[in-house]
Amino acid sequence: MQVLDRAPQGWPCLVLNADYQPLSYWPLSTWPWQEAIKNVFLERVAVISHYAEVVHSPSFEMHVPSVVALRDYVHQNRTPAFTRYNVWLRDGFKCVYCGKHGVDQLTFDHVIPRRAGGKTSWENIVAACGPCNLKKGGRTPREARMPLPRPPQRPSLHELQAQGRKFPPKFLHESWLDYLYWDIELER
């Protein structure tokens, strides 16, 4: 993770809910600077922090927002989408069989194989690296002698958000830090 005092090209803006929590940690809720400015003018957000850079028209100038908060609270109690990416996030971007990390090697595996009636669902899909997926083949974990540390289950949105906090993005602007990662150890 790289913390910068200057934004890279594009000036991304961190978007917070009305309670000053990010709408999403993974992926981190950001808007392009143009979207942030549009929402400032539409009075949908309050500017919390800004970059040193200024944008202007012939009759107006404004600092580019780096952090905005929605004026209306967005309830976050929806069910997470069942996607490959969310399965990987639920399982911590590591193989459930061998524990190795790395998105480049991850696939997904049916715990109960499809040939045995296994469904493609939260409760039957896990993240697996290619070698473990091949080793397990069309067998159950018991048949393959590859036990699962815990049975897969549908995560709540809050569980996925908590998991996402463990994987910070490559870019964090210093103005964002007060609104992210409350549970990290403070520097001495």
Side-chain angles (χ1 to χ4, degrees):
M1 168 179 64
Q2 185 177 14
V3 178
L4 301 172
D5 60 351
R6 291 187 49 81
Q9 183 68 17
W11 304 317
C13 180
L14 177 64
V15 182
L16 306 175
N17 210 336
D19 65 355
Y20 286 64
Q21 295 293 311
L23 286 173
S24 171
Y25 283 97
W26 190 267
L28 190 59
S29 53
T30 61
W31 284 339
W33 67 270
Q34 299 93 329
E35 186 74 15
I37 288 176
K38 178 180 101 176
N39 280 284
V40 169
F41 278 103
L42 293 174
E43 298 182 355
R44 294 179 183 156
V45 297
V47 177
I48 307 304
S49 186
H50 56 78
Y51 294 113
E53 287 77 12
V54 175
V55 293
H56 55 84
S57 72
S59 61
F60 180 80
E61 74 175 35
M62 172 182 186
H63 283 278
V64 177
S66 64
V67 180
V68 295
L70 300 177
R71 293 196 186 273
D72 296 322
Y73 184 78
V74 175
H75 292 278
Q76 301 274 9
N77 53 358
R78 67 188 187 280
T79 303
F82 178 62
T83 64
R84 179 183 304 245
Y85 189 82
N86 281 345
V87 168
W88 292 345
L89 178 59
R90 176 200 65 191
D91 294 341
F93 295 99
K94 64 182 179 181
C95 175
V96 298
Y97 299 114
C98 70
K100 290 185 182 167
H101 287 269
V103 175
D104 56 329
Q105 277 282 314
L106 282 181
T107 63
F108 69 89
D109 178 57
H110 287 80
V111 176
I112 305 298
R114 286 188 287 187
R115 68 163 178 78
K119 305 281 188 226
T120 302
S121 67
W122 281 112
E123 295 78 14
N124 194 47
I125 297 289
V126 294
C129 68
C132 284
N133 203 344
L134 282 172
K135 179 180 173 186
K136 180 179 169 286
R139 301 175 290 174
T140 66
R142 173 180 252 170
E143 292 167 343
R145 291 189 171 92
M146 297 172 71
L148 290 170
R150 65 190 174 290
Q153 61 184 12
R154 175 190 311 264
S156 70
L157 186 63
H158 296 290
E159 289 169 329
L160 281 185
Q161 291 284 26
Q163 188 70 349
R165 292 179 75 179
K166 298 175 185 176
F167 302 98
K170 289 183 172 45
F171 165 78
L172 290 176
H173 187 262
E174 66 180 10
S175 66
W176 300 2
L177 298 181
D178 285 340
Y179 307 98
L180 301 173
Y181 314 113
W182 287 95
D183 54 352
I184 61 172
E185 185 175 334
L186 299 174
E187 293 180 18
R188 294 176 195 241

